Amino acid sequence: MDFLKPLHKFTVIPSLTEELAGLQRIAYNLWWSWEPDAINLFRRLDADLWQSTRHNPVEMLGILQQTTLEALKGDEGYMAHLQMVDEKLTEYLQEKTWFQKKSSAKSHLKVAYFSMEFGLHESLPIYSGGLGILAGDHLKSASDLGLPLVGVGLLYRQGYFRQYLNNEGWQQEIYPENDFYNLPLIMERDEKGNPLSFVLEFGSRRFSVHIWRVQVGRVPLYLLDTNLEENQSEDRLITAQLYGGDQEMRIMQEILLGIGGIRALRLLGVIPNVCHMNEGHAAFLALERIRLLMEKRGVNFNEAREIVSAGNVFTTHTPVEAGIDHFPPELLDKYFTRYYKALGLNREEFLGLGRQNPRNNQESFCMAVLALKLASHCNGVSQLHGEVSRKMWKNLWPELPEEQLPLGSITNGVHTRTWMSNHMASLLVRYLGTRWLEDPTDHNVWRRIARIPDAELWRTQLSGRERLVDFARKRLKVQLKQVGATTKEIAIAEEVLDPEVLTIGFARRFATYKRGTLLLQDLDRLSRILNNPEMPVQIIFAGKAHPQDKEGKELIRQILQISHQERFRHRIVFIQDYDMEVARHLVQGVDVWLNTPRRPMEASGTSGMKVSFNGGLNMSVLDGWWCEGYQGNNGWAIGKGEVYEDIDYQNQIEGRATYDLLEKEIVPLFYERGSDVIPRAWVATMKASMQSLCPVFSTDRMVQEYTSRSYLVSYQKWRQLVADDLAMALDLASWKGRIFKSWPQVRIELAETTGNDAVTVGSNITISARVALGDIPVDEVAVEGYFGVLDSTGTIQGGEIIPLVYADDLGNGAHLFNGQIECRFCGRHGFMLRIMPRHKVLGNVYEPGYLVWG
């Protein structure tokens, strides 16, 4: 309908007088989304409109009549509220932060955090689930801590889908358009007021990109948009949907995120020295940073790679390789032929960067492999996930023992103030003071939870459950109206659930490994538990399945069908269209959070952490974060971490274990009441949970850990390499070339020890090693012993490294090294020797293929 296209376009904005200008200033900084006083400020304008706009203050200000806005100036109470919130925002932006107190005045750290999705608030629907929520919480804590960080992502016109279920319970998807001009977005413009724009050209495709900004407290989030009139229709679709389309759409989105993201930052004058890739989607950024450095400084690929890799951080969230993006070589040929030539690489060298075995021409190009090869710091998102990831990717570092692979773990967390209810926060301020707001990681503060009277903590929990039940009933009525339910059926929605009953929550992405129907295996037994007249239980489900995941949709259908059975009609509810609003009500209102993934498929999980901050208790398989969180007195573990080859058998075992826990422990504990009707043993468990989990599983702790273990270490190495006109980087690349050329000469000729086959605890064994180094200088290698306990197969487990000291030149390129092993434990032990390159300044340098064992 081209005849409807306008001759001229313009944007209509609210007309706010100087007295009301603070409303717009606050609305355009998502700080308001975790500041209760700011939320209440907007709710006071019009509670119904606040709800209907999905709590979007920008859209709300655009809808309100000018007369309504003008009338606010005469409301002294409202104007005082506005002034207070405006001053709070100003104070927040100007106060001295954790990072400023911690960092050196000379530090010029600048971090760019790249993610395919960001879950900041339900009014900005550019997220699908856990990865995006984690990214949003990361930005919020980075803001609270004052970290010099910017975010980079894509601005989706339709975002992720909205969900509704038909009469049969089948998930249906709708994709409403996001109106960017009624969202808290600011288009970046040049000095003439024109939109900042740049062009990407890959293969036969050439398209323009605009940059939008979302302000998240102190942190700007830059979002890229290709839905521009000058672009071809296929290119406008690149930023249409999150996780939509085929492989070709995915690679274009990842080119835009990684390569386009770096170019956008340069256009904005933001030059990061550390780039954090939140999953492999953004891994192309490493190649673009290398290309730009080669172009600017006239260095070759290997020299630029040393510098760029030093300043890259990669976080993997996926415990199975099938969940990671792989692209066929032909797709890389289609879009990257000119690009890899600009890097000075041939086709096989370029494709080898994304292959575990660079010489395997049949292997696809893996984005996680690219990120792992081009980052100096890599991590999983829980301790168990770190172990799983090292097993997944051990072929990238074939000569290293598994425990020494350069892939650690930093456990996820949640943003405290986003997810904690106002009622709980007020209670904590009364008894803990405000220190927990300023530093949620302080264990001493959280120990004061013990001071809270049981009755007050229980009342707070009860009020959260009441709000959840009220919310669920309202949502259920809307759901019933959507599918044409009768007036009687809609009226029954007022009777579902009971605010006095033990409430279990289960909400997450409906993937089969998460086992959303594990609790429904034995419906008769479940009915007896839920409908026990003395100790009833109710369950609230929520979650979406990927549009292409038929098995996940089937799980949702089964739950909805079961909830319609007469015996479950008042005890099981499925809330449609799971988003951040639904999540807040659930985590702030449930008594027990159920988590039933098939171990070790849950990389971390964060929903249970959110529940803990609100006094809810976790009941989970020992997977992801719960392996670290569970302490025996702060929740419940389903099983003991067993993994069975037969999945059906595992489901049966853990399904029965779930029922047993409910019947024998959880339900009786909840209903064990004294004369004051307070379940004191339950409240004691709530307190133990909050004391042990809250100071650990926050994104403040997580971001502090990223800062100290990854960002600052990466920055220091980057700074070392670029100092003195890249002197160290050039030296390192040249040194590696020389060492690697001579490496075939290196071998271990002889290893000897003193002592007998049996030695006493506490004694030392002397090791002597005769090694051949050829023409490599003796101070450019590290000779080490690897010593530890042997398992039943004769393999060293969890060994430790013992450096050997140079002792003598034996002539003809042979040298003698000595060292000592201290025998601290009884049992069968063994040792091996190894040699690796050692740089005179940077120390030991490991690269695959350049480590000798003997």
Side-chain angles (χ1 to χ4, degrees):
M1 300 177 69
D2 289 343
F3 67 90
L4 290 179
K5 290 190 175 179
L7 294 172
H8 179 67
K9 297 179 181 180
F10 53 91
T11 303
V12 179
I13 61 173
S15 175
L16 296 175
T17 61
E18 185 177 346
E19 300 97 317
L20 296 173
L23 280 173
Q24 192 153 350
R25 187 162 50 248
I26 297 163
Y28 276 90
N29 190 321
L30 281 174
W31 164 87
W32 67 258
S33 69
W34 68 90
E35 174 48 59
D37 286 330
I39 294 170
N40 290 331
L41 178 72
F42 293 118
R43 185 185 287 114
R44 280 182 68 177
L45 288 171
D46 186 322
D48 292 335
L49 187 58
W50 178 243
Q51 187 64 37
S52 66
T53 59
R54 297 184 80 187
H55 313 128
N56 178 355
V58 174
E59 181 180 2
M60 190 176 180
L61 291 174
I63 293 173
L64 285 171
Q65 294 292 322
Q66 200 64 37
T67 52
T68 303
L69 293 172
E70 286 296 321
L72 293 175
K73 291 188 292 184
D75 186 335
E76 293 183 9
Y78 189 85
M79 294 305 293
H81 190 173
L82 170 58
Q83 182 180 350
M84 180 266 288
V85 174
D86 199 16
E87 289 173 353
K88 250 188 176 180
L89 174 58
T90 301
E91 182 183 354
Y92 174 84
L93 297 174
Q94 294 178 352
E95 66 188 3
K96 193 166 185 179
T97 65
W98 170 85
F99 184 78
Q100 289 172 321
K101 296 171 186 174
K102 174 186 174 63
S103 67
S104 163
K106 297 179 181 178
S107 173
H108 296 289
L109 173 69
K110 188 68 175 179
V111 181
Y113 181 89
F114 289 70
S115 183
M116 189 70 103
E117 53 174 303
F118 287 90
L120 294 160
H121 189 260
E122 61 267 17
S123 64
L124 188 60
I126 56 170
Y127 63 94
S128 72
L131 181 73
I133 302 298
L134 186 279
D137 283 6
H138 193 114
L139 296 195
K140 292 172 183 177
S141 278
S143 171
D144 291 342
L145 296 168
L147 198 65
L149 179 145
V150 302
V152 181
L154 304 184
L155 183 57
Y156 302 100
R157 191 171 78 243
Q158 296 176 340
Y160 204 53
F161 69 90
R162 302 288 300 274
Q163 176 199 56
Y164 73 94
L165 307 182
N166 66 18
N167 279 318
E168 298 299 318
W170 286 109
Q171 173 181 290
Q172 308 294 306
E173 299 91 25
I174 53 175
Y175 292 88
E177 298 261 335
N178 286 325
D179 179 0
F180 296 167
Y181 294 94
N182 275 313
L183 290 172
L185 298 164
I186 299 169
M187 180 176 283
E188 293 292 338
R189 299 179 182 274
D190 61 21
E191 62 278 1
K192 296 181 180 178
N194 299 316
L196 273 182
S197 178
F198 64 95
V199 173
L200 281 179
E201 188 170 357
F202 281 83
S204 62
R205 297 175 72 162
R206 187 177 191 276
F207 53 90
S208 297
V209 184
H210 281 178
I211 309 167
W212 298 76
R213 172 168 52 87
V214 179
Q215 197 64 36
V216 187
R218 301 177 177 91
V219 170
L221 167 60
Y222 299 108
L223 300 171
L224 309 183
D225 172 25
T226 66
N227 182 33
L228 313 179
E229 286 188 358
E230 60 262 40
N231 288 338
Q232 297 292 321
S233 58
E234 63 177 355
D235 297 323
R236 297 184 69 167
L237 291 175
I238 294 173
T239 54
Q241 293 179 4
L242 171 62
Y243 304 138
D246 56 13
Q247 274 199 316
E248 191 147 0
M249 175 61 74
R250 180 62 68 89
I251 200 171
M252 289 309 300
Q253 289 184 331
E254 297 186 5
I255 287 170
L256 176 60
L257 176 64
I259 296 173
I262 291 294
R263 294 186 189 179
L265 291 179
R266 288 177 63 82
L267 188 61
L268 291 161
V270 178
I271 311 297
N273 38 48
V274 174
C275 286
H276 187 168
M277 298 170 275
N278 189 42
E279 251 316 336
H281 308 124
F284 288 136
L285 72 82
L287 298 176
E288 179 67 2
R289 295 185 78 196
I290 289 172
R291 188 193 67 81
L292 290 170
L293 192 58
M294 291 172 65
E295 184 181 272
K296 181 179 179 181
R297 304 303 295 268
V299 294
N300 64 35
F301 179 86
N302 289 332
E303 292 163 341
R305 178 179 179 172
E306 295 295 344
I307 296 168
V308 169
S309 296
N312 283 341
V313 175
F314 170 55
T315 297
T316 174
H317 294 257
T318 312
V320 288
E321 196 171 344
I324 291 169
D325 285 334
H326 290 256
F327 297 117
E330 308 79 59
L331 202 53
L332 275 296
D333 290 337
K334 181 174 181 179
Y335 291 111
F336 282 91
T337 298
R338 284 201 305 267
Y339 195 86
Y340 65 65
K341 290 177 181 177
L343 293 170
L345 302 176
N346 61 39
R347 178 180 185 271
E348 294 310 314
E349 288 171 331
F350 179 79
L351 292 175
L353 292 171
R355 289 170 169 164
Q356 294 195 55
N357 180 359
R359 291 178 291 277
N360 180 1
N361 294 330
Q362 304 305 310
E363 190 177 336
S364 60
F365 189 95
C366 175
M367 295 299 285
V369 170
L370 179 64
L372 288 163
K373 287 185 176 182
L374 296 180
S376 62
H377 289 81
C378 305
N379 67 277
V381 290
S382 69
Q383 291 176 11
L384 178 60
H385 182 233
E387 296 171 15
V388 171
S389 298
R390 288 189 287 275
K391 285 183 170 64
M392 274 178 64
W393 303 114
K394 61 185 178 183
N395 291 338
L396 287 173
W397 306 281
E399 299 97 345
L400 290 180
E402 203 169 279
E403 72 274 4
Q404 292 186 0
L405 299 184
L407 206 172
S409 64
I410 295 177
T411 302
N412 284 345
V414 300
H415 185 248
T416 307
R417 285 186 276 183
T418 292
W419 297 106
M420 182 183 286
S421 74
N422 295 342
H423 290 74
M424 182 62 73
S426 298
L427 179 68
L428 296 187
V429 168
R430 284 204 302 277
Y431 289 97
L432 277 62
T434 58
R435 175 67 182 160
W436 67 273
L437 287 166
E438 299 156 9
D439 181 9
T441 68
D442 189 333
H443 286 258
N444 291 326
V445 172
W446 289 101
R447 289 191 187 100
R448 298 178 196 161
I449 290 282
R451 302 178 182 176
I452 300 176
D454 290 354
E456 291 198 47
L457 185 57
W458 181 243
R459 276 199 300 271
T460 302
Q461 178 68 14
L462 178 59
S463 68
R465 194 184 321 119
E466 289 171 343
R467 290 193 302 276
L468 171 59
V469 168
D470 181 61
F471 174 78
R473 287 172 174 172
K474 288 177 180 176
R475 288 295 289 258
L476 184 57
K477 288 172 69 174
V478 171
Q479 293 168 198
L480 290 170
K481 289 177 182 177
Q482 287 176 340
V483 296
T486 66
T487 304
K488 182 179 178 181
E489 289 172 326
I490 295 172
I492 291 175
E494 288 288 356
E495 302 171 6
V496 302
L497 306 177
D498 184 332
E500 300 292 332
V501 167
L502 170 62
T503 303
I504 299 173
F506 182 99
R508 53 195 28 87
R509 179 167 59 90
F510 268 80
T512 52
Y513 79 86
K514 293 178 181 283
R515 300 189 296 183
T517 56
L518 188 70
L519 196 58
L520 309 180
Q521 284 186 348
D522 185 339
L523 293 181
D524 290 336
R525 189 174 180 186
L526 179 63
S527 178
R528 290 194 296 273
I529 294 171
L530 301 191
N531 294 305
N532 182 329
E534 302 299 322
M535 298 184 295
V537 180
Q538 57 198 14
I539 310 170
I540 302 177
F541 289 95
K544 298 176 179 179
H546 187 277
Q548 306 304 319
D549 185 358
K550 293 182 180 179
E551 291 178 311
K553 290 183 176 183
E554 170 60 20
L555 296 177
I556 293 174
R557 189 194 69 81
Q558 289 177 22
I559 292 170
L560 200 76
Q561 291 290 327
I562 289 168
S563 74
H564 288 165
Q565 293 183 21
E566 188 59 38
R567 55 181 170 170
F568 297 123
R569 191 176 296 276
H570 292 84
R571 293 285 181 250
I572 298 178
V573 168
F574 188 99
I575 298 178
Q576 297 177 23
D577 201 23
Y578 185 45
D579 65 0
M580 290 182 71
E581 181 187 14
V582 175
R584 276 198 309 274
H585 280 90
L586 281 168
V587 301
Q588 293 173 7
V590 298
D591 300 293
V592 175
W593 193 254
L594 178 64
N595 187 36
T596 54
R598 194 168 68 247
R599 179 184 166 110
M601 304 287 281
E602 185 84 284
S604 172
T606 56
S607 52
M609 302 175 188
K610 302 175 181 99
V611 170
S612 302
F613 281 92
N614 290 285
L617 301 175
N618 281 274
M619 175 191 187
S620 174
V621 169
L622 286 170
D623 196 10
W625 78 282
W626 192 232
C627 298
E628 301 161 52
Y630 177 62
Q631 295 184 3
N633 69 337
N634 62 348
W636 295 273
I638 301 171
K640 298 179 180 178
E642 306 93 340
V643 176
Y644 301 91
E645 290 186 11
D646 186 331
I647 294 174
D648 289 336
Y649 179 68
Q650 181 159 355
N651 291 343
Q652 292 174 19
I653 293 292
E654 292 179 345
R656 287 198 293 268
T658 303
Y659 291 136
D660 287 343
L661 276 175
L662 287 170
E663 291 171 334
K664 298 175 183 178
E665 296 187 39
I666 296 173
V667 178
L669 189 71
F670 182 85
Y671 286 103
E672 183 184 308
R673 313 287 173 95
S675 58
D676 56 4
V677 201
I678 296 170
R680 295 194 180 274
W682 185 275
V683 173
T685 309
M686 290 172 61
K687 290 182 176 181
S689 171
M690 297 184 75
Q691 288 172 323
S692 59
L693 302 179
C694 292
V696 178
F697 296 102
S698 74
T699 40
D700 276 43
R701 184 274 310 157
M702 182 192 81
V703 172
Q704 288 176 7
E705 207 169 332
Y706 273 113
T707 302
S708 59
R709 289 177 49 191
S710 299
Y711 299 159
L712 288 174
V713 180
S714 293
Y715 168 68
Q716 293 297 341
K717 187 175 180 183
W718 172 86
R719 192 173 69 168
Q720 188 178 24
L721 290 173
V722 300
D724 301 323
D725 203 24
L726 315 185
M728 184 61 72
L730 300 177
D731 174 75
L732 178 60
S734 172
W735 173 82
K736 279 187 177 181
R738 176 171 55 81
I739 289 289
F740 294 168
K741 183 178 180 181
S742 301
W743 198 252
Q745 305 172 49
V746 176
R747 64 185 182 277
I748 297 170
E749 295 184 333
L750 181 67
E752 296 180 319
T753 63
T754 61
N756 302 316
D757 183 58
V759 296
T760 57
V761 172
S763 60
N764 293 328
I765 297 176
T766 299
I767 305 173
S768 295
R770 175 189 172 100
V771 302
L773 300 179
D775 57 9
I776 297 178
V778 71
D779 62 349
E780 294 190 357
V781 298
V783 181
E784 300 171 329
Y786 180 68
F787 163 74
V789 177
L790 299 179
D791 65 13
S792 59
T793 65
T795 304
I796 297 174
Q797 293 296 309
E800 58 180 296
I801 298 297
I802 299 102
L804 272 63
V805 180
Y806 176 69
D808 197 7
D809 184 343
L810 303 178
N812 297 320
H815 303 270
L816 181 67
F817 287 77
N818 294 326
Q820 286 196 329
I821 294 173
E822 181 184 358
C823 301
R824 299 193 299 274
F825 308 103
C826 292
R828 193 68 175 163
H829 291 68
F831 81 90
M832 300 176 69
L833 296 177
R834 72 183 192 185
I835 308 174
M836 70 169 63
R838 184 177 187 278
H839 189 269
K840 59 186 176 182
V841 176
L842 300 174
N844 293 2
V845 175
Y846 168 73
E847 288 203 12
Y850 300 99
L851 189 150
V852 173
W853 286 94

